[in-house]
Amino acid sequence: LNLTKYEGDDVSIQCKHHDEDQKSFCKAHEASMCVKDGDSLETIRDDRFSFSDEASTGVFTVNITDLREEDSGIYWCGAPVIMKVSLKVNM
């Protein structure tokens, strides 16, 4: 999934999961930028990131508001099938 957005935009990323215990959303190469099961593991304690879960459909949505250029990068989401998300935030 390739997404291109602009600073200040919002984005919603849908990720699949097969098990309620396996929802995760991580920024590649930055272990500290990881949200798992809706809880921040470390530095995504940012209120710009939020989860909504439609458990019955096996999909959870990660919402990021007020995008910044530094949010650009590769993210991995879902479980056990991992989806690669490339997010580019332009000024």
Side-chain angles (χ1 to χ4, degrees):
L1 181 64
N2 292 303
L3 300 169
T4 301
K5 296 288 182 178
Y6 290 91
E7 283 193 331
D9 284 354
D10 299 343
V11 67
S12 294
I13 300 167
Q14 291 195 320
C15 307
K16 292 186 160 90
H17 67 91
H18 293 289
D19 182 335
E20 199 61 26
D21 299 330
Q22 293 185 317
K23 298 188 294 284
S24 65
F25 180 78
C26 298
K27 190 167 186 178
H29 312 302
E30 294 183 49
S32 63
M33 288 287 288
C34 214
V35 185
K36 194 164 186 173
D37 301 332
D39 295 319
S40 299
L41 294 185
E42 281 197 38
T43 57
I44 300 190
R45 296 206 187 282
D46 198 318
D47 58 9
R48 297 182 305 116
F49 289 78
S50 63
F51 271 78
S52 56
D53 188 12
E54 300 88 41
S56 61
T57 63
V59 172
F60 68 96
T61 303
V62 179
N63 301 294
I64 311 171
T65 59
D66 190 24
L67 285 166
R68 300 171 187 162
E69 196 176 7
E70 62 262 28
D71 295 325
S72 294
I74 302 296
Y75 293 84
W76 303 100
C77 74
V81 177
I82 305 296
M83 182 176 76
K84 179 181 176 181
V85 179
S86 176
L87 175 62
K88 181 169 173 45
V89 181
N90 294 320
M91 293 181 67

